[in-house]
Amino acid sequence: MDYKMTVIGALGVLTSALMGYFFSSFALLNDYRALTIASVLALIYLALVTLRMLVIDQAWQSGILIALDLGLFAVSFNGHFSPWLIIGIIISGIWLFVAWQKGKYEVENMVRIRLRELGAGFIRSSLHALLFLLIASYLSLVNPKTIHIPRSLVAESVQSVMASVGQKFIAKMTSVPETPEAEADLAEKAITAIHAGISKIIETVPEEARPGLLIGIGIIVFLLVNSLTGLLVPLIVFFLWMVVGLLLRINFITIRTEKVDKEIISA
């Protein structure tokens, strides 16, 4: 790689390392501000990975960069390594490499480079791989034998539902007065009942079956979050478009036209 490709590759690796640092702060310390920063860095990382796919042609170079990405991401979990984390990183690495191959195939079949068309293929696939990595990394910190649902998570879910449904609707359905105190009391009772019910269900699961339960929770979370990827892909494409436009303007990258021969079958 020449120095320009090295710079593009290094930016992706650096972004991955920063993403791992902030995401591990969230996973280990429940720092939601760090989660917000990690989410922004994840979108930037996906845009840089797409740019990297566009300019790097050698599979071995892409493989090395993906390995560096995930290696530096995992460094932030130092002291909390587990087989689950290692398996998650390996699967994510393979997923990202397959996405790179898919992206190169898409680009090679384009007469003109259309970044928006990469959204449905390469970017979406890379986003799925990254979501899997983040969810697997978070769940790798959970001990299956002591698995539990935090009361705070139930509280956030109940309060979110009540806010979306509306106070008047709740009052009509439950005969609760339309006052903040009555609503808070109802929310507290609902949180307590739901948390107790979920905890009782988990307690009935044998310890040897709890790793499977944890995997099942991971799959459900992945599918739920995955439903939002359609909203994120256009944002990543837009950011990529701005980055490519800037690099073209300063002549850091160029677009050249190549002539190709087309096969036809004649009789």
Side-chain angles (χ1 to χ4, degrees):
M1 290 188 292
D2 61 23
Y3 81 94
K4 292 182 178 180
M5 293 186 184
T6 302
V7 169
I8 292 173
L11 286 174
V13 173
L14 176 62
T15 305
S16 178
L18 291 173
M19 177 177 62
Y21 172 79
F22 285 104
F23 186 77
S24 64
S25 296
F26 158 71
L28 298 171
L29 305 174
N30 290 323
D31 185 351
Y32 285 90
R33 182 180 300 178
L35 176 62
T36 302
I37 298 173
S39 300
V40 174
L41 288 170
L43 298 179
I44 296 173
Y45 170 74
L46 288 169
L48 291 174
V49 165
T50 307
L51 177 62
R52 201 162 69 186
M53 181 273 295
L54 291 170
V55 300
I56 294 177
D57 296 324
Q58 299 297 321
W60 67 269
Q61 294 175 341
S62 176
I64 289 175
L65 289 172
I66 290 173
L68 288 173
D69 291 342
L70 299 182
L72 290 181
F73 174 89
V75 165
S76 298
F77 290 85
N78 184 32
H80 297 86
F81 285 106
S82 69
W84 297 104
L85 177 61
I86 296 172
I87 291 172
I89 288 174
I90 291 173
I91 293 176
S92 301
I94 295 172
W95 202 332
L96 285 171
F97 185 76
V98 171
W100 176 85
Q101 291 180 315
K102 183 177 181 180
K104 295 306 294 184
Y105 179 79
E106 291 178 359
V107 171
E108 288 173 359
N109 285 276
M110 291 181 182
V111 177
R112 296 177 62 86
I113 301 298
R114 293 183 174 86
L115 299 179
R116 185 165 53 184
E117 293 183 7
L118 292 174
F122 173 77
I123 295 178
R124 186 181 294 273
S125 183
S126 299
L127 179 56
H128 291 170
L130 190 57
L131 286 174
F132 177 84
L133 172 65
L134 297 178
I135 293 171
S137 300
Y138 184 82
L139 292 180
S140 71
L141 302 174
V142 179
N143 185 347
K145 294 183 179 180
T146 59
I147 185 173
H148 69 283
I149 301 297
R151 180 182 172 85
S152 59
L153 179 61
V154 176
E156 290 175 7
S157 301
V158 171
Q159 291 166 359
S160 176
V161 170
M162 293 182 69
S164 62
V165 169
Q167 186 173 347
K168 290 185 178 180
F169 179 80
I170 293 173
K172 186 180 296 185
M173 294 296 294
T174 60
S175 299
V176 172
E178 294 183 37
T179 62
E181 294 78 10
E183 184 181 2
D185 183 61
L186 177 63
E188 185 64 25
K189 290 179 179 178
I191 292 167
T192 300
I194 294 173
H195 183 255
I198 294 175
S199 299
K200 188 174 182 180
I201 292 173
I202 293 176
E203 289 174 1
T204 61
V205 178
E207 285 191 3
E208 59 271 16
R210 291 188 180 184
L213 175 62
L214 190 61
I215 293 173
I217 292 173
I219 293 173
I220 293 172
V221 172
F222 177 80
L223 293 175
L224 290 174
V225 177
N226 196 39
S227 63
L228 302 175
T229 56
L231 302 175
L232 298 176
V233 169
L235 182 62
I236 298 168
V237 172
F238 176 71
F239 181 76
L240 175 64
W241 175 78
M242 291 195 300
V243 172
V244 170
L246 175 63
L247 295 180
L248 287 171
R249 186 175 292 274
I250 64 176
N251 293 321
F252 192 83
I253 61 174
T254 58
I255 295 177
R256 68 175 187 269
T257 302
E258 293 183 348
K259 293 183 178 180
V260 296
D261 295 325
K262 180 181 178 181
E263 284 187 345
I264 61 171
I265 297 177
S266 58

